[in-house]
Amino acid sequence: GFTKEKVYLESKFPFSNIDPTNFQRIADMIEKRYELTHLNFTKTKDIMPYVDKMFDLFNSSYADLSSFVAITDVQKEYFKKKYISFINPEYIKFVMDKNNDIVAFSIVMPSFSEALQKAKGKLFPFGFYHLLKARKDSKDVVFYLIGVHPEYQNKGVTAIIFDEYFKTFSEKGIVNCIRTPELEENHAIHNLWKNFNPRVHCRRKTFIKNL
């Protein structure tokens, strides 16, 4: 008696698919037009003062999705302690307005799949080493979150983020880019990636039964 509720698509594309001319030519123009600047990081401690505002922006940018549940203050503290330290700080990008408020952000994480396989599910004695090595050296990256303030959506702000990631990934020798599951009905996010020719490699569904 269960019926399909939601469909989530997970896709990937090789870094070689990326043609930087699609966004490089407009990134500078968008920054000048809207008086925006980009922030890059090399140390986790430099990111922490911005994390609460980042999650606030996440809540506002995803609020219209039917399955979205806002992140609470308690969850913010949990995520800061549990996950931020595992993210290579070079893989977090912010776009700021002239008032130093965040108008766009993106979080990418190195893929830990191979490291977890080598660790065989155990952190000790050597599993932690594989995770730390993957944090720095993994050639596959996973796009976890990207958010744009509603006032700046459809204004090309993501070109700034993509331009900065292209520079970082080129330096790191990244091979594959993986997107975490996204709602099939979230056409805005699918359009964001269409120029990279992603391939759907996993389709997830949730089911519901009225009682």
Side-chain angles (χ1 to χ4, degrees), residues 57-84:
L57 176 56
F58 171 78
N59 285 340
S60 62
S61 59
Y62 282 80
D64 290 338
L65 293 179
S66 59
S67 62
F68 176 72
V69 178
I71 294 176
T72 66
D73 290 340
V74 174
Q75 289 173 314
K76 290 178 187 176
E77 293 302 315
Y78 176 80
F79 289 143
K80 281 192 286 188
K81 294 177 181 178
K82 190 77 173 179
Y83 295 112
I84 296 298

Side-chain angles (χ1 to χ4, degrees), residues 102-131:
I102 305 173
V103 300
F105 75 94
S106 182
I107 295 178
V108 169
M109 289 186 70
S111 174
F112 290 107
S113 297
E114 186 175 333
L116 290 169
Q117 290 169 2
K118 290 180 179 179
K120 298 180 179 179
K122 297 180 181 180
L123 284 179
F124 301 101
F126 303 115
F128 213 75
Y129 164 78
H130 294 301
L131 292 177

Side-chain angles (χ1 to χ4, degrees), residues 44-198:
T44 300
K45 67 180 182 66
D46 294 334
I47 300 171
M48 301 309 290
Y50 297 93
V51 172
D52 284 345
K53 288 185 177 181
M54 180 189 73
F55 282 126
D56 289 339
L57 176 56
F58 171 78
N59 285 340
S60 62
S61 59
Y62 282 80
D64 290 338
L65 293 179
S66 59
S67 62
F68 176 72
V69 178
I71 294 176
T72 66
D73 290 340
V74 174
Q75 289 173 314
K76 290 178 187 176
E77 293 302 315
Y78 176 80
F79 289 143
K80 281 192 286 188
K81 294 177 181 178
K82 190 77 173 179
Y83 295 112
I84 296 298
S85 62
F86 270 99
I87 304 174
N88 186 329
E90 296 172 274
Y91 291 170
I92 295 181
K93 309 292 184 183
F94 291 160
V95 178
M96 316 296 290
D97 67 9
K98 61 182 179 181
N99 298 314
N100 204 36
D101 290 324
I102 305 173
V103 300
F105 75 94
S106 182
I107 295 178
V108 169
M109 289 186 70
S111 174
F112 290 107
S113 297
E114 186 175 333
L116 290 169
Q117 290 169 2
K118 290 180 179 179
K120 298 180 179 179
K122 297 180 181 180
L123 284 179
F124 301 101
F126 303 115
F128 213 75
Y129 164 78
H130 294 301
L131 292 177
L132 291 176
K133 191 173 187 302
R135 179 181 182 269
K136 184 179 180 181
D137 299 327
S138 176
K139 299 306 179 185
D140 294 348
V141 292
V142 182
F143 281 81
Y144 269 82
L145 290 174
I146 185 166
V148 180
H149 192 284
E151 292 182 9
Y152 286 88
Q153 291 176 6
N154 301 315
K155 291 184 177 180
V157 175
T158 53
I160 302 171
I161 292 176
F162 287 151
D163 189 32
E164 293 307 308
Y165 274 127
F166 184 81
K167 297 171 186 175
T168 301
F169 292 170
S170 296
E171 293 174 359
K172 297 289 185 182
I174 297 303
V175 176
N176 291 304
C177 300
I178 303 164
R179 291 161 54 196
T180 51
E182 298 159 345
L183 273 171
E184 186 179 46
E185 66 196 50
N186 190 353
H187 301 297
I189 197 70
H190 299 313
N191 286 334
L192 186 63
W193 302 102
K194 64 181 181 180
N195 291 326
F196 302 148
N197 298 314

